[in-house]
Coordinates of all heavy atoms in Angstrom, one line a residue:
Chain A
G134 N 15.8 -7.0 -41.7 CA 17.1 -7.3 -41.3 C 17.4 -7.0 -39.8 O 17.9 -7.7 -39.1
V135 N 16.9 -5.7 -39.5 CA 17.1 -5.2 -38.1 C 16.3 -6.2 -37.2 O 16.9 -6.5 -36.0 CB 16.6 -3.7 -38.1 CG1 16.6 -3.3 -36.7 CG2 17.6 -2.8 -38.8
L136 N 15.0 -6.4 -37.6 CA 14.2 -7.2 -36.7 C 14.9 -8.6 -36.4 O 14.9 -9.2 -35.2 CB 12.9 -7.5 -37.3 CG 11.8 -8.0 -36.5 CD1 11.4 -6.8 -35.5 CD2 10.5 -8.3 -37.3
F137 N 15.5 -9.4 -37.5 CA 15.9 -10.6 -37.3 C 17.3 -10.6 -36.4 O 17.7 -11.2 -35.6 CB 16.4 -11.2 -38.7 CG 15.2 -11.9 -39.3 CD1 14.6 -11.6 -40.5 CD2 14.6 -13.1 -38.5 CE1 13.4 -12.3 -41.0 CE2 13.5 -13.7 -39.2 CZ 13.0 -13.3 -40.3
D138 N 18.0 -9.3 -36.6 CA 19.2 -9.1 -35.8 C 18.8 -9.1 -34.3 O 19.5 -9.6 -33.5 CB 19.8 -7.8 -36.1 CG 20.8 -8.0 -37.4 OD1 20.9 -9.1 -37.8 OD2 21.2 -6.9 -37.9
N139 N 17.7 -8.4 -34.1 CA 17.2 -8.3 -32.7 C 16.9 -9.7 -32.0 O 17.2 -9.9 -31.0 CB 15.9 -7.3 -32.6 CG 16.3 -5.9 -32.5 OD1 17.4 -5.6 -32.1 ND2 15.3 -5.1 -32.8
V140 N 16.1 -10.5 -33.0 CA 15.8 -11.9 -32.5 C 17.0 -12.6 -32.2 O 17.0 -13.4 -31.3 CB 14.8 -12.5 -33.6 CG1 14.7 -14.0 -33.2 CG2 13.5 -11.8 -33.9
L141 N 18.0 -12.4 -33.1 CA 19.3 -13.2 -32.7 C 20.0 -12.9 -31.6 O 20.4 -13.6 -30.8 CB 20.3 -13.0 -34.0 CG 19.9 -13.7 -35.3 CD1 20.9 -13.4 -36.3 CD2 20.1 -15.2 -35.0
N142 N 19.9 -11.5 -31.3 CA 20.5 -11.0 -30.0 C 19.7 -11.6 -28.8 O 20.4 -12.0 -27.9 CB 20.2 -9.4 -30.0 CG 21.3 -8.7 -30.7 OD1 22.3 -9.3 -31.1 ND2 21.1 -7.4 -31.0
I143 N 18.4 -11.6 -28.9 CA 17.7 -12.2 -27.9 C 18.0 -13.8 -27.7 O 18.3 -14.2 -26.6 CB 16.1 -12.1 -28.1 CG1 15.7 -10.6 -28.0 CG2 15.3 -13.0 -27.1 CD1 14.4 -10.3 -28.6
A144 N 18.1 -14.4 -28.7 CA 18.4 -15.9 -28.8 C 19.8 -16.1 -28.2 O 20.0 -17.1 -27.4 CB 18.4 -16.5 -30.1
S145 N 20.9 -15.0 -28.4 CA 22.0 -15.3 -27.9 C 22.2 -15.1 -26.4 O 23.0 -15.6 -25.8 CB 23.1 -14.3 -28.5 OG 22.7 -13.1 -28.1
G146 N 21.1 -14.5 -25.8 CA 21.1 -14.2 -24.4 C 20.3 -15.2 -23.7 O 19.6 -14.9 -22.7
I147 N 20.2 -16.4 -24.4 CA 19.2 -17.5 -23.8 C 19.5 -17.9 -22.4 O 18.5 -18.1 -21.6 CB 19.2 -18.7 -24.6 CG1 18.0 -19.4 -24.6 CG2 20.5 -19.7 -24.6 CD1 16.9 -19.0 -25.5
V148 N 20.9 -17.9 -22.0 CA 21.1 -18.3 -20.6 C 20.6 -17.3 -19.7 O 20.0 -17.5 -18.7 CB 22.8 -18.3 -20.4 CG1 23.1 -18.7 -19.0 CG2 23.2 -19.4 -21.4
G149 N 20.8 -15.9 -20.1 CA 20.3 -14.9 -19.2 C 18.7 -14.9 -19.1 O 18.1 -14.7 -18.1
V150 N 18.1 -15.3 -20.3 CA 16.7 -15.5 -20.2 C 16.2 -16.6 -19.3 O 15.2 -16.5 -18.5 CB 16.2 -15.9 -21.8 CG1 14.7 -16.3 -21.6 CG2 16.4 -14.6 -22.6

Side-chain angles (χ1 to χ4, degrees):
Chain A
V135 171
L136 197 69
F137 277 116
D138 281 351
N139 274 341
V140 171
L141 283 175
N142 281 342
I143 292 168
S145 67
I147 202 88
V148 178
V150 170

